[in-house]
Amino acid sequence: MKLLLDTQILLWAAGQTDRLSAAARQLLNDPRNELLFSAASMWEIAIKNSLGREDFTVEPRLLRRGLLNNGYTELPVTSQHAVNIDGLPPLHKDPFDRLLLAQAVSEGITILTGDAEVARYAGPVRKV
């Protein structure tokens, strides 16, 4: 199964695995699953890191290289993803999360999230 990690799950998977739920760890460690990260997450991390956010202290270039070196697949942002945002109900205002959701819907892949607001969306969303 293809799994797109939302930004928080991605950060935890890369450096704070103790914060992941047992269900998340099981999905991430299952070799049958293809793990993806979005260019939108890298954008979010770079922005929030440059603003000095304490929960985004990771160096984005090192994170990206580490993810690729560990078998993750990068999902680029396309204009199709961007325009599909308008089809999402206004349940959540975070633009990064909305773009990740649009990517998951567009690509037919499951997004993993720990965010209860994101999990309210119908479609390929799994709260872990």
Side-chain angles (χ1 to χ4, degrees):
M1 167 174 26
K2 288 186 174 187
L3 300 172
L4 176 62
L5 281 61
D6 80 359
T7 305
Q8 194 63 64
I9 298 291
L10 185 66
L11 288 170
W12 291 349
Q16 297 176 310
T17 55
D18 56 311
R19 299 196 66 183
L20 292 167
S21 68
R25 271 191 236 108
Q26 183 177 7
L27 287 166
L28 298 177
N29 291 324
D30 186 335
R32 296 171 296 182
N33 292 332
E34 181 182 351
L35 305 178
L36 294 94
F37 69 95
S38 172
S41 289
M42 293 295 106
W43 181 31
E44 179 180 14
I45 291 165
I47 287 171
K48 293 179 178 178
N49 176 275
S50 69
L51 294 173
R53 288 262 310 256
E54 290 183 20
D55 52 340
F56 287 86
T57 56
V58 65
E59 207 296 310
R61 286 172 189 80
L62 293 177
L63 174 61
R64 180 180 179 275
R65 178 53 37 214
L67 291 167
L68 293 171
N69 288 346
N70 283 287
Y72 284 71
T73 301
E74 183 173 0
L75 179 62
V77 175
T78 68
S79 59
Q80 185 64 53
H81 298 149
V83 299
N84 283 349
I85 290 172
D86 70 357
L88 297 173
L91 302 176
H92 193 47
K93 294 190 187 271
D94 183 292
F96 296 108
D97 286 337
R98 290 178 60 80
L99 182 52
L100 293 173
L101 284 160
Q103 286 184 292
V105 170
S106 298
E107 300 296 328
I109 56 181
T110 300
I111 183 170
L112 293 184
T113 186
D115 186 329
E117 290 297 310
V118 173
R120 291 177 47 206
Y121 283 92
V125 180
R126 184 159 179 185
K127 185 172 182 313
V128 290

CSV table of all heavy atoms in Angstrom, one decimal, residues 1-6 9 27-28 33-38 73 75 100-113 118-119 121-128:
chain,number,residue,atom,x,y,z
A,1,MET,N,0.8,-1.2,0.0
A,1,MET,CA,0.0,0.0,0.0
A,1,MET,C,0.9,1.2,0.0
A,1,MET,O,1.9,1.3,0.7
A,1,MET,CB,-0.9,0.0,1.3
A,1,MET,CG,-1.6,1.2,1.6
A,1,MET,SD,-2.8,1.2,2.9
A,1,MET,CE,-2.3,-0.1,4.0
A,2,LYS,N,0.5,2.2,-0.8
A,2,LYS,CA,1.2,3.5,-0.8
A,2,LYS,C,0.7,4.4,0.3
A,2,LYS,O,-0.5,4.6,0.5
A,2,LYS,CB,1.0,4.2,-2.1
A,2,LYS,CG,1.8,3.6,-3.3
A,2,LYS,CD,1.6,4.4,-4.5
A,2,LYS,CE,2.5,3.9,-5.6
A,2,LYS,NZ,2.5,4.8,-6.8
A,3,LEU,N,1.6,4.9,1.1
A,3,LEU,CA,1.3,5.7,2.3
A,3,LEU,C,2.0,7.1,2.2
A,3,LEU,O,3.2,7.1,2.2
A,3,LEU,CB,1.7,5.0,3.6
A,3,LEU,CG,1.0,3.7,3.9
A,3,LEU,CD1,1.7,3.0,5.1
A,3,LEU,CD2,-0.5,3.8,4.0
A,4,LEU,N,1.2,8.2,2.2
A,4,LEU,CA,1.8,9.5,2.2
A,4,LEU,C,1.8,10.0,3.7
A,4,LEU,O,0.7,10.0,4.3
A,4,LEU,CB,0.9,10.4,1.3
A,4,LEU,CG,1.3,11.9,1.4
A,4,LEU,CD1,2.8,12.1,0.8
A,4,LEU,CD2,0.3,12.7,0.6
A,5,LEU,N,2.9,10.3,4.2
A,5,LEU,CA,3.0,10.7,5.6
A,5,LEU,C,2.8,12.2,5.7
A,5,LEU,O,3.4,13.0,4.9
A,5,LEU,CB,4.4,10.4,6.2
A,5,LEU,CG,4.7,9.0,6.6
A,5,LEU,CD1,4.5,8.0,5.5
A,5,LEU,CD2,6.0,8.9,7.3
A,6,ASP,N,1.9,12.6,6.6
A,6,ASP,CA,1.7,14.1,6.8
A,6,ASP,C,3.0,14.6,7.5
A,6,ASP,O,3.8,13.8,7.9
A,6,ASP,CB,0.4,14.4,7.5
A,6,ASP,CG,0.4,14.3,9.0
A,6,ASP,OD1,1.5,13.8,9.6
A,6,ASP,OD2,-0.6,14.6,9.6
A,9,ILE,N,3.8,13.3,11.1
A,9,ILE,CA,4.2,11.9,11.2
A,9,ILE,C,5.6,11.7,10.5
A,9,ILE,O,6.4,11.0,11.0
A,9,ILE,CB,3.2,11.0,10.4
A,9,ILE,CG1,1.8,11.1,11.2
A,9,ILE,CG2,3.6,9.6,10.3
A,9,ILE,CD1,1.7,10.5,12.5
A,27,LEU,N,2.7,0.2,10.4
A,27,LEU,CA,2.6,0.6,9.0
A,27,LEU,C,3.9,1.0,8.4
A,27,LEU,O,4.2,0.6,7.3
A,27,LEU,CB,1.5,1.7,8.9
A,27,LEU,CG,0.1,1.3,9.1
A,27,LEU,CD1,-0.8,2.5,9.3
A,27,LEU,CD2,-0.4,0.4,8.0
A,28,LEU,N,4.7,1.8,9.1
A,28,LEU,CA,5.9,2.3,8.6
A,28,LEU,C,7.0,1.2,8.4
A,28,LEU,O,7.8,1.3,7.6
A,28,LEU,CB,6.5,3.4,9.4
A,28,LEU,CG,5.6,4.7,9.5
A,28,LEU,CD1,6.2,5.7,10.5
A,28,LEU,CD2,5.3,5.3,8.2
A,33,ASN,N,4.6,-1.8,2.4
A,33,ASN,CA,4.1,-0.5,2.2
A,33,ASN,C,5.2,0.4,1.5
A,33,ASN,O,6.4,0.3,1.9
A,33,ASN,CB,3.7,0.1,3.5
A,33,ASN,CG,2.5,-0.5,4.1
A,33,ASN,OD1,1.7,-1.1,3.3
A,33,ASN,ND2,2.3,-0.5,5.4
A,34,GLU,N,4.8,1.2,0.6
A,34,GLU,CA,5.7,2.2,0.0
A,34,GLU,C,5.4,3.5,0.7
A,34,GLU,O,4.3,4.0,0.7
A,34,GLU,CB,5.4,2.4,-1.5
A,34,GLU,CG,6.3,3.4,-2.2
A,34,GLU,CD,6.0,3.6,-3.7
A,34,GLU,OE1,5.2,2.8,-4.2
A,34,GLU,OE2,6.5,4.5,-4.2
A,35,LEU,N,6.5,4.1,1.3
A,35,LEU,CA,6.4,5.3,2.1
A,35,LEU,C,6.7,6.5,1.2
A,35,LEU,O,7.8,6.5,0.6
A,35,LEU,CB,7.3,5.2,3.3
A,35,LEU,CG,7.0,4.0,4.2
A,35,LEU,CD1,8.0,4.0,5.3
A,35,LEU,CD2,5.6,3.9,4.7
A,36,LEU,N,5.8,7.5,1.2
A,36,LEU,CA,6.0,8.7,0.4
A,36,LEU,C,6.0,9.9,1.3
A,36,LEU,O,5.4,10.0,2.3
A,36,LEU,CB,4.9,8.9,-0.6
A,36,LEU,CG,4.8,7.8,-1.7
A,36,LEU,CD1,3.9,6.7,-1.3
A,36,LEU,CD2,4.4,8.5,-3.0
A,37,PHE,N,6.8,10.9,0.9
A,37,PHE,CA,6.7,12.2,1.5
A,37,PHE,C,6.5,13.3,0.4
A,37,PHE,O,6.9,13.1,-0.7
A,37,PHE,CB,8.0,12.6,2.3
A,37,PHE,CG,9.2,12.8,1.5
A,37,PHE,CD1,9.6,14.1,1.1
A,37,PHE,CD2,10.0,11.7,1.1
A,37,PHE,CE1,10.8,14.3,0.3
A,37,PHE,CE2,11.2,11.9,0.3
A,37,PHE,CZ,11.5,13.2,-0.1
A,38,SER,N,5.8,14.3,0.8
A,38,SER,CA,5.5,15.3,-0.2
A,38,SER,C,6.5,16.5,-0.3
A,38,SER,O,7.0,16.9,0.8
A,38,SER,CB,4.1,15.9,0.1
A,38,SER,OG,3.8,17.0,-0.7
A,73,THR,N,9.8,7.7,-1.1
A,73,THR,CA,9.6,8.2,-2.4
A,73,THR,C,9.1,9.6,-2.3
A,73,THR,O,8.2,9.9,-1.5
A,73,THR,CB,8.6,7.4,-3.2
A,73,THR,OG1,9.1,6.0,-3.3
A,73,THR,CG2,8.4,7.9,-4.6
A,75,LEU,N,7.0,12.8,-3.5
A,75,LEU,CA,5.9,13.1,-4.3
A,75,LEU,C,5.9,14.6,-4.6
A,75,LEU,O,5.7,15.4,-3.7
A,75,LEU,CB,4.6,12.7,-3.5
A,75,LEU,CG,3.2,13.0,-4.3
A,75,LEU,CD1,3.1,12.2,-5.6
A,75,LEU,CD2,2.1,12.7,-3.3
A,100,LEU,N,-1.7,18.3,1.1
A,100,LEU,CA,-1.4,16.9,1.2
A,100,LEU,C,-2.6,16.0,1.0
A,100,LEU,O,-2.6,15.0,0.4
A,100,LEU,CB,-0.8,16.6,2.6
A,100,LEU,CG,0.5,17.2,3.0
A,100,LEU,CD1,0.9,17.0,4.4
A,100,LEU,CD2,1.6,16.6,2.1
A,101,LEU,N,-3.8,16.5,1.5
A,101,LEU,CA,-5.0,15.8,1.3
A,101,LEU,C,-5.4,15.7,-0.2
A,101,LEU,O,-5.8,14.7,-0.7
A,101,LEU,CB,-6.2,16.5,2.0
A,101,LEU,CG,-6.2,16.2,3.5
A,101,LEU,CD1,-7.0,17.2,4.2
A,101,LEU,CD2,-6.7,14.8,3.8
A,102,ALA,N,-5.2,16.8,-0.9
A,102,ALA,CA,-5.5,16.9,-2.3
A,102,ALA,C,-4.6,15.9,-3.1
A,102,ALA,O,-5.0,15.3,-4.1
A,102,ALA,CB,-5.4,18.3,-2.9
A,103,GLN,N,-3.3,15.9,-2.7
A,103,GLN,CA,-2.4,14.9,-3.3
A,103,GLN,C,-2.8,13.5,-3.1
A,103,GLN,O,-2.8,12.7,-4.0
A,103,GLN,CB,-1.0,15.1,-2.7
A,103,GLN,CG,-0.3,16.3,-3.2
A,103,GLN,CD,1.2,16.4,-2.7
A,103,GLN,OE1,1.4,16.5,-1.5
A,103,GLN,NE2,2.1,16.2,-3.6
A,104,ALA,N,-3.2,13.1,-1.9
A,104,ALA,CA,-3.7,11.8,-1.6
A,104,ALA,C,-4.9,11.4,-2.4
A,104,ALA,O,-4.9,10.3,-3.0
A,104,ALA,CB,-4.0,11.6,-0.1
A,105,VAL,N,-5.9,12.3,-2.5
A,105,VAL,CA,-7.1,12.1,-3.3
A,105,VAL,C,-6.7,11.9,-4.7
A,105,VAL,O,-7.1,11.0,-5.4
A,105,VAL,CB,-8.1,13.2,-3.0
A,105,VAL,CG1,-9.2,13.1,-4.0
A,105,VAL,CG2,-8.6,13.1,-1.6
A,106,SER,N,-5.9,12.9,-5.3
A,106,SER,CA,-5.5,12.9,-6.7
A,106,SER,C,-4.8,11.6,-7.1
A,106,SER,O,-5.0,11.1,-8.2
A,106,SER,CB,-4.6,14.1,-7.0
A,106,SER,OG,-5.3,15.3,-6.8
A,107,GLU,N,-3.9,11.1,-6.2
A,107,GLU,CA,-3.0,10.0,-6.5
A,107,GLU,C,-3.6,8.7,-6.1
A,107,GLU,O,-3.1,7.6,-6.4
A,107,GLU,CB,-1.7,10.2,-5.9
A,107,GLU,CG,-0.9,11.4,-6.3
A,107,GLU,CD,-0.6,11.4,-7.8
A,107,GLU,OE1,-0.3,10.3,-8.3
A,107,GLU,OE2,-0.6,12.5,-8.4
A,108,GLY,N,-4.7,8.7,-5.3
A,108,GLY,CA,-5.3,7.5,-4.8
A,108,GLY,C,-4.5,6.7,-3.8
A,108,GLY,O,-4.4,5.5,-3.8
A,109,ILE,N,-3.8,7.5,-3.0
A,109,ILE,CA,-3.0,6.9,-1.9
A,109,ILE,C,-3.5,7.4,-0.6
A,109,ILE,O,-4.2,8.4,-0.4
A,109,ILE,CB,-1.5,7.3,-2.1
A,109,ILE,CG1,-1.3,8.9,-2.1
A,109,ILE,CG2,-0.9,6.7,-3.3
A,109,ILE,CD1,0.1,9.3,-2.3
A,110,THR,N,-3.1,6.6,0.5
A,110,THR,CA,-3.6,6.9,1.8
A,110,THR,C,-2.6,7.8,2.5
A,110,THR,O,-1.4,7.7,2.5
A,110,THR,CB,-3.7,5.6,2.6
A,110,THR,OG1,-4.6,4.7,1.9
A,110,THR,CG2,-4.1,5.8,4.0
A,111,ILE,N,-3.2,8.9,3.2
A,111,ILE,CA,-2.4,9.8,3.9
A,111,ILE,C,-2.5,9.3,5.4
A,111,ILE,O,-3.6,9.0,5.9
A,111,ILE,CB,-2.8,11.2,3.8
A,111,ILE,CG1,-1.9,12.2,4.5
A,111,ILE,CG2,-4.3,11.5,4.2
A,111,ILE,CD1,-2.1,13.6,4.2
A,112,LEU,N,-1.3,9.2,6.1
A,112,LEU,CA,-1.2,8.9,7.5
A,112,LEU,C,-1.1,10.2,8.2
A,112,LEU,O,-0.3,11.1,7.9
A,112,LEU,CB,0.0,8.1,7.8
A,112,LEU,CG,0.0,6.7,7.2
A,112,LEU,CD1,1.3,5.9,7.8
A,112,LEU,CD2,-1.2,5.9,7.6
A,113,THR,N,-2.0,10.4,9.3
A,113,THR,CA,-2.0,11.6,10.1
A,113,THR,C,-2.3,11.3,11.5
A,113,THR,O,-2.9,10.3,11.8
A,113,THR,CB,-3.0,12.6,9.5
A,113,THR,OG1,-2.9,13.8,10.3
A,113,THR,CG2,-4.4,12.1,9.7
A,118,VAL,N,-7.6,16.6,10.3
A,118,VAL,CA,-7.3,16.1,9.0
A,118,VAL,C,-8.1,14.8,8.9
A,118,VAL,O,-8.6,14.5,7.8
A,118,VAL,CB,-5.8,15.9,8.8
A,118,VAL,CG1,-5.5,15.1,7.5
A,118,VAL,CG2,-5.1,17.2,8.8
A,119,ALA,N,-8.2,14.0,9.9
A,119,ALA,CA,-8.8,12.7,9.9
A,119,ALA,C,-10.3,12.8,9.7
A,119,ALA,O,-11.0,11.8,9.3
A,119,ALA,CB,-8.5,11.9,11.2
A,121,TYR,N,-11.7,14.3,7.2
A,121,TYR,CA,-12.0,14.2,5.8
A,121,TYR,C,-12.3,12.8,5.3
A,121,TYR,O,-11.7,11.8,5.8
A,121,TYR,CB,-10.8,14.7,5.0
A,121,TYR,CG,-10.6,16.2,5.0
A,121,TYR,CD1,-9.9,16.8,5.9
A,121,TYR,CD2,-11.3,17.0,4.0
A,121,TYR,CE1,-9.8,18.2,6.0
A,121,TYR,CE2,-11.2,18.4,4.0
A,121,TYR,CZ,-10.4,19.0,5.0
A,121,TYR,OH,-10.3,20.3,5.0
A,122,ALA,N,-13.3,12.7,4.4
A,122,ALA,CA,-13.6,11.4,3.8
A,122,ALA,C,-12.5,11.1,2.8
A,122,ALA,O,-11.8,12.0,2.4
A,122,ALA,CB,-15.0,11.5,3.1
A,123,GLY,N,-12.4,9.9,2.5
A,123,GLY,CA,-11.4,9.5,1.5
A,123,GLY,C,-10.2,8.8,2.1
A,123,GLY,O,-10.3,8.2,3.2
A,124,PRO,N,-9.1,8.8,1.4
A,124,PRO,CA,-7.9,8.0,1.8
A,124,PRO,C,-7.1,8.6,3.0
A,124,PRO,O,-6.0,8.9,2.8
A,124,PRO,CB,-7.1,7.9,0.5
A,124,PRO,CG,-7.4,9.3,-0.1
A,124,PRO,CD,-8.8,9.6,0.2
A,125,VAL,N,-7.8,8.7,4.1
A,125,VAL,CA,-7.1,9.3,5.3
A,125,VAL,C,-7.1,8.2,6.4
A,125,VAL,O,-8.2,7.6,6.7
A,125,VAL,CB,-7.8,10.5,5.8
A,125,VAL,CG1,-7.1,11.1,7.0
A,125,VAL,CG2,-7.9,11.6,4.7
A,126,ARG,N,-6.0,8.0,7.1
A,126,ARG,CA,-5.9,7.1,8.2
A,126,ARG,C,-5.3,7.8,9.4
A,126,ARG,O,-4.1,8.2,9.3
A,126,ARG,CB,-5.1,5.9,7.8
A,126,ARG,CG,-5.1,4.8,8.8
A,126,ARG,CD,-4.8,3.5,8.2
A,126,ARG,NE,-4.7,2.5,9.3
A,126,ARG,CZ,-4.4,1.2,9.0
A,126,ARG,NH1,-4.1,0.8,7.8
A,126,ARG,NH2,-4.4,0.4,10.0
A,127,LYS,N,-6.0,7.9,10.5
A,127,LYS,CA,-5.4,8.4,11.7
A,127,LYS,C,-4.7,7.4,12.4
A,127,LYS,O,-5.2,6.3,12.7
A,127,LYS,CB,-6.5,9.0,12.6
A,127,LYS,CG,-5.9,9.8,13.8
A,127,LYS,CD,-7.0,10.5,14.5
A,127,LYS,CE,-6.5,11.3,15.7
A,127,LYS,NZ,-5.6,10.6,16.6
A,128,VAL,N,-3.4,7.7,12.8
A,128,VAL,CA,-2.6,6.7,13.5
A,128,VAL,C,-2.0,7.4,14.7
A,128,VAL,O,-1.9,8.6,14.8
A,128,VAL,CB,-1.4,6.2,12.6
A,128,VAL,CG1,-2.0,5.2,11.6
A,128,VAL,CG2,-0.6,7.3,12.0
